[in-house]
């Protein structure tokens, strides 16, 4: 599997919604490449018959009743918003 | 003598006898912070006015039935949400998050015990790091020697307790972030079993690994603080519904006849000789108390760090998607459309290490790589978990070092992510297996820096950890050595 290319780094940055500079692309390509190469260590292990662990407790589909309860008031929910209008979060245009 | 050198029990007695007041305790905190925090930088936000007002109100309420934590000054890691008190995760992204809307479950529980929140403690940004150098605000310094790191990511939480700025604190631990700074700062830190403490209101880093835990000066105080924050929480679907023992009751049960496993992988290459010697001396102490020990193997240890970074970064890349500049946090002013707004806000708000981990996680989860990296790491996690299960069939506890070396110098490792990651070899397997781990002071290096002994138990067996920790503490003097801030150089 080995190396990660600059184009891959740019693609991953787009997926991660990060704007990265050309300089950062250079640096990330090297650093991610090193970390991924290190992670190849796991390929020493035969895991064909091993079940993956997603988490350690024996819990499945924890559900609770869908009941309305008092929680945050709408105006409180807006308190930390960077921009708002008429009680709604305001964002830049989505469609061209 | 600082009031914080007394135990919880002694302080409560003084409160009841009116020798001291809650206001005295809170003043002790702020006086100490004013005297030494400019050298340590443990705090990001102080809660002085609120804390002093709360103390005044509590002064009239001291009574025979008040909680053992009544009026105690506590510091909170800045990734635990505190209603109305700025919560930044040491990130620029949340620099304007001044007014959180609710309290984390652990805060509700502490408030019910009438503790007093002194302020929010520095950390690596979003808990990603091992030295607190990744804070986007300030570098916290080790109180034992301010040229050295306090460890991380809960570096502020450990340094504040070591320096006597608060009586105790809460940290969080995803791959060692409570135990490693506790070791570097010479205090007691516990990462509880996954699911024992509610994560509701802990800003998520890696949801299958994160746990909140107590940092204290002594073992007994640690047991009391843990007791206050455990329990099932309907607001956290991964919270375990288990019976909780009274931890303080197990303290004096001793270790006679109990069996210790010592993994050879935890004392191998890369472990500083002074650290190894301190661990071996600790084992002698346990022998003298009637316990036996045997060398064992956790054969998949060397794969833990790689599996840990793939899994924790993958989970982080999903968890940190919520920071989009819409509902809270900073927003870039430069963007003209929505996607650019996300990208530019995140790039301006996140530091290098956070970006690196989001990138690694996004890569490991991306189409074509998911099976080779993410799923592979999950399978290796199973092997690591099985290693621990096998040991606990025959042994009561696992003992080893908390860190391969004592605290290193500020700047020594920050430019080389892989070297710093490698230090997690003795702490991250514990999170992958979900078992509890604790660090207690077990010695000092020739340079006067603390060394931590790590105690690892079976799932939900914190009781045995406290038993071992208390027995060691009572038999030794390491916890009695106090920091002289600014000394040690």
């Amino acid at each position: 599997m080995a190396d990660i290319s600059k184009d891959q780094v740019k693609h991953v940055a787009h997926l991660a919604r990060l704007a990265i500079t050309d300089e950062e692309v250079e640096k990330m390509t090297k650093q991610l490449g090193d970390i991924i190469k290190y992670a190849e260590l796991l390929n020493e292990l035969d895991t064909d018959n091993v079940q993956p662990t997603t988490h350690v407790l024996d819990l499945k589909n924890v559900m609770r009743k869908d009941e309305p309860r008092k929680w945050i008031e709408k105006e409180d929910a807006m308190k930390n918003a960077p921009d708002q209008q008429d009680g709604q979060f305001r964002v830049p245009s989505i469609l061209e | 003598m600082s009031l914080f050198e007394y135990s919880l029990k002694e302080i409560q007695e003084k409160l009841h006898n009116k020798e001291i007041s809650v206001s005295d305790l809170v003043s002790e905190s702020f006086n100490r912070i004013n005297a030494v925090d400019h050298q340590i930088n443990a705090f990001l936000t102080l809660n002085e006015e609120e804390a002093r007002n709360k103390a005044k109100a509590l002064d009239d309420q001291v009574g025979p039935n008040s909680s053992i934590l009544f009026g105690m000054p506590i510091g909170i890691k800045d990734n635990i949400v505190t209603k109305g008190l700025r919560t930044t995760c040491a990130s620029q992204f949340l620099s304007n998050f001044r007014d959180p809307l609710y309290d984390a479950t652990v805060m509700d529980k502490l408030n019910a015990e009438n503790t007093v929140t002194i302020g929010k403690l520095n950390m690596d940004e979003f808990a990603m790091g091992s030295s607190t150098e990744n804070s986007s605000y300030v570098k916290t310094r080790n109180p034992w020697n301010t040229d050295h790191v306090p460890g991380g990511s809960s570096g502020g939480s450990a340094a504040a307790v070591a320096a006597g700025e608060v009586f105790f604190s809460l940290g969080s631990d995803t791959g060692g972030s409570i135990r490693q700074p506790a070791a570097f700062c010479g205090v007691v830190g516990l990462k509880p079993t996954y699911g024992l403490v509610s994560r509701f209101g802990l800003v998520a880093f890696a949801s299958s690994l994160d746990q909140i835990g107590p940092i204290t000066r002594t073992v007994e105080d640690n047991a009391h603080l843990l007791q206050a924050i455990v329990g099932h929480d309907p607001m956290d679907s991964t919270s375990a519904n288990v019976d909780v023992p009274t931890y303080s009751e197990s303290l004096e049960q001793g270790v006679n006849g109990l069996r210790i496993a010592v993994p050879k992988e935890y004392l191998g290459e890369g472990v500083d000789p002074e650290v190894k010697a301190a661990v071996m001396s600790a084992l002698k102490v346990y022998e003298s108390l009637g316990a036996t020990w045997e060398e064992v193997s956790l054969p998949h240890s060397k794969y833990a760090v790689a599996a840990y970074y793939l899994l924790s970064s993958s989970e982080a890349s999903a968890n940190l998607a919520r920071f989009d500049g819409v509902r809270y946090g900073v927003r870039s002013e430069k963007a003209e459309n929505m996607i650019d707004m996300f990208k530019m806000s995140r790039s301006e708000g996140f530091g290098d290490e956070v970006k690196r981990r989001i990138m690694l996680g996004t890569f490991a989860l991306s189409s074509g790589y998911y099976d080779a990296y993410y799923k592979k790491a999950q399978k290796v996690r199973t092997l690591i978990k099985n290693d621990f299960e096998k040991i606990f069939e025959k042994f009561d506890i696992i003992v080893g070092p908390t860190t391969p070396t004592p605290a290193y110098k500020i700047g020594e490792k920050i430019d080389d992510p892989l070297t710093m990651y490698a230090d997690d070899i003795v702490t991250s397997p514990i999170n992958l297996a979900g078992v509890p781990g604790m660090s207690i002071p077990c010695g000092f290096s020739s340079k006067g820096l603390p060394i931590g002994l790590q105690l690892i138990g079976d799932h939900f067996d914190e009781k045995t950890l406290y038993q071992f920790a208390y027995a060691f503490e009572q038999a030794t003097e390491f916890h009695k050595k106090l920091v002289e801030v600014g000394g040690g150089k």
Side-chain angles (χ1 to χ4, degrees):
Chain A
M1 203 108 4
D3 280 349
I4 182 166
S5 70
K6 280 185 209 169
D7 282 345
Q8 269 177 302
V9 167
K10 285 183 195 165
H11 174 64
V12 170
H14 170 69
L15 293 176
R17 298 290 185 260
L18 289 170
I20 58 173
T21 63
D22 289 344
E23 198 186 322
E24 282 176 310
V25 171
E26 291 280 341
K27 203 167 127 190
M28 287 269 190
T29 304
K30 161 106 181 50
Q31 289 181 336
L32 284 181
D34 287 349
I35 296 169
I36 288 160
K37 231 176 264 169
Y38 173 66
E40 309 261 321
L41 179 70
L42 302 186
N43 292 331
E44 285 178 18
L45 294 169
D46 177 1
T47 53
D48 285 352
N49 298 312
V50 179
Q51 289 298 312
T53 295
T54 50
H55 92 97
V56 294
L57 297 182
D58 190 21
L59 290 171
K60 280 190 188 110
N61 295 338
V62 179
M63 310 291 258
R64 60 178 162 78
K65 283 193 182 139
D66 186 16
E67 286 169 341
R69 64 190 181 91
K70 208 166 156 51
W71 186 230
I72 291 161
E73 298 295 334
K74 187 172 174 183
E75 58 186 62
D76 285 339
M78 307 306 296
K79 277 196 302 198
N80 294 293
D83 198 3
Q84 55 176 300
Q85 191 181 323
D86 307 328
Q88 317 265 351
F89 297 111
R90 190 166 183 270
V91 294
S93 64
I94 297 168
L95 300 170
E96 295 294 312
Chain B
M1 176 170 167
S2 161
L3 283 175
F4 297 166
E5 290 172 39
Y6 294 101
S7 72
L8 266 178
K9 267 194 212 150
E10 289 165 335
I11 290 179
Q12 291 305 320
E13 213 175 281
K14 287 178 188 297
L15 281 174
H16 292 165
N17 299 341
K18 311 272 180 207
E19 274 175 63
I20 60 165
S21 66
V22 176
S23 290
D24 293 336
L25 290 167
V26 168
S27 290
E28 181 85 39
S29 256
F30 287 110
N31 290 345
R32 184 71 174 159
I33 290 167
N34 288 336
V36 300
D37 206 55
H38 65 280
Q39 293 178 77
I40 298 168
N41 301 320
F43 282 89
L44 289 175
T45 304
L46 290 175
N47 190 36
E48 184 159 3
E49 201 185 325
E50 286 277 321
R52 287 191 188 276
N53 288 339
K54 185 169 181 183
K56 256 182 229 151
L58 290 176
D59 281 340
D60 302 327
Q61 294 171 30
V62 183
N65 297 321
S66 48
S67 135
I68 189 155
L69 303 187
F70 187 90
M72 298 309 297
I74 190 164
I76 305 294
K77 188 176 181 180
D78 206 27
N79 59 350
I80 295 171
V81 178
T82 44
K83 189 175 181 181
L85 181 60
R86 192 172 83 129
T87 301
T88 69
C89 297
S91 179
Q92 291 302 318
F93 196 98
L94 290 172
S95 53
N96 61 357
F97 192 46
R98 285 182 201 93
D99 204 355
L101 304 180
Y102 59 88
D103 271 321
T105 296
V106 290
M107 296 312 300
D108 282 339
K109 284 175 177 281
L110 288 176
N111 288 332
E113 306 279 331
N114 289 309
T115 61
V116 181
T117 302
I118 296 300
K120 301 300 289 288
L121 292 159
N122 198 21
M123 55 188 279
D124 288 294
E125 184 178 2
F126 289 108
M128 296 175 187
S130 315
S131 65
T132 313
E133 289 167 287
N134 292 332
S135 167
S136 75
Y137 296 96
V138 68
K139 285 181 182 37
T140 298
R141 292 166 179 276
N142 192 313
W144 293 91
N145 183 329
T146 49
D147 288 340
H148 290 249
V149 301
S153 67
S154 310
S157 299
V161 173
E165 295 177 302
V166 285
F167 186 77
F168 45 27
S169 67
L170 291 184
S172 71
D173 189 316
T174 305
S177 283
I178 288 174
R179 289 159 288 153
Q180 185 255 23
F184 280 7
C185 293
V187 293
V188 179
L190 172 80
K191 181 207 87 79
T193 305
Y194 182 79
L196 186 67
V197 177
S198 168
R199 295 184 297 108
F200 181 71
L202 172 67
V203 178
F205 162 12
S207 304
S208 79
L209 303 162
D210 298 342
Q211 267 290 285
I212 295 170
I215 298 176
T216 57
R217 216 171 42 73
T218 70
V219 174
E220 184 178 6
D221 296 343
N222 201 281
H224 287 300
L225 183 53
L226 178 70
Q227 199 80 50
I229 59 171
V230 297
H232 180 248
D233 179 12
M235 298 299 280
D236 172 4
S237 61
T238 61
S239 162
N241 206 342
V242 292
D243 287 335
V244 174
T246 303
Y247 299 109
S248 58
E249 282 175 4
S250 68
L251 293 175
E252 288 175 18
Q253 287 175 6
V255 299
N256 190 28
L258 297 182
R259 295 154 304 175
I260 301 170
V262 181
K264 61 179 183 201
E265 292 83 1
Y266 289 12
L267 287 167
E269 205 185 322
V271 177
D272 183 285
E274 288 188 323
V275 170
K276 191 171 176 176
V279 171
M280 297 318 286
S281 305
L283 290 170
K284 288 216 176 74
V285 171
Y286 281 126
E287 274 178 2
S288 73
L289 297 170
T292 55
W293 68 272
E294 212 176 293
E295 189 177 274
V296 299
S297 176
L298 292 167
H300 297 97
S301 297
K302 78 164 179 173
Y303 305 102
V305 171
Y308 168 75
Y309 276 92
L310 287 173
L311 294 173
S312 63
S313 300
S314 296
E315 293 184 24
S317 74
N319 276 326
L320 271 66
R322 64 171 55 93
F323 300 106
D324 56 9
V326 175
R327 292 149 300 157
Y328 47 76
V330 297
R331 178 184 295 186
S332 171
E333 297 299 327
K334 296 173 200 153
E336 288 179 2
N337 66 54
M338 183 89 153
I339 298 289
D340 281 351
M341 189 273 279
F342 294 154
K343 286 186 177 176
M344 291 163 85
S345 302
R346 289 162 64 77
S347 296
E348 288 169 24
F350 292 150
D352 285 349
E353 183 64 24
V354 174
K355 287 181 196 170
R356 191 153 49 229
R357 305 239 192 149
I358 290 175
M359 292 284 289
L360 175 63
T362 306
F363 172 76
L365 292 174
S366 66
S367 170
Y369 298 96
Y370 178 90
D371 282 344
Y373 294 103
Y374 182 66
K375 203 164 178 192
K376 181 80 186 182
Q378 285 188 318
K379 289 179 167 190
V380 174
R381 184 174 185 181
T382 304
L383 298 174
I384 290 166
K385 189 173 159 244
N386 293 347
D387 282 355
F388 281 92
E389 280 168 10
K390 270 184 213 136
I391 299 295
F392 287 121
E393 284 170 14
K394 280 179 64 188
F395 294 89
D396 298 294
I397 198 166
I398 297 171
V399 172
T402 310
T403 60
T405 68
Y408 40 86
K409 282 196 168 165
I410 292 172
E412 199 176 314
K413 296 195 181 181
I414 193 69
D415 293 328
D416 186 358
L418 265 179
T419 310
M420 203 183 285
Y421 295 175
D423 284 350
D424 295 344
I425 183 151
V426 288
T427 48
S428 61
I430 284 78
N431 301 75
L432 292 170
V435 293
M438 181 190 267
S439 182
I440 57 172
C442 74
F444 290 88
S445 72
S446 49
K447 287 182 183 157
L449 291 163
I451 296 171
L453 185 72
Q454 188 174 209
L455 309 173
I456 302 157
D458 202 355
H459 285 118
F460 300 108
D461 193 17
E462 279 75 6
K463 185 180 153 293
T464 301
L465 295 188
Y466 282 122
Q467 223 169 302
F468 269 87
Y470 189 78
F472 184 79
E473 192 187 68
Q474 295 308 301
T476 57
E477 302 279 316
F478 303 117
H479 65 291
K480 290 185 181 160
K481 191 166 167 184
L482 294 170
V483 171
E484 189 194 325
V485 176
K489 283 194 226 178

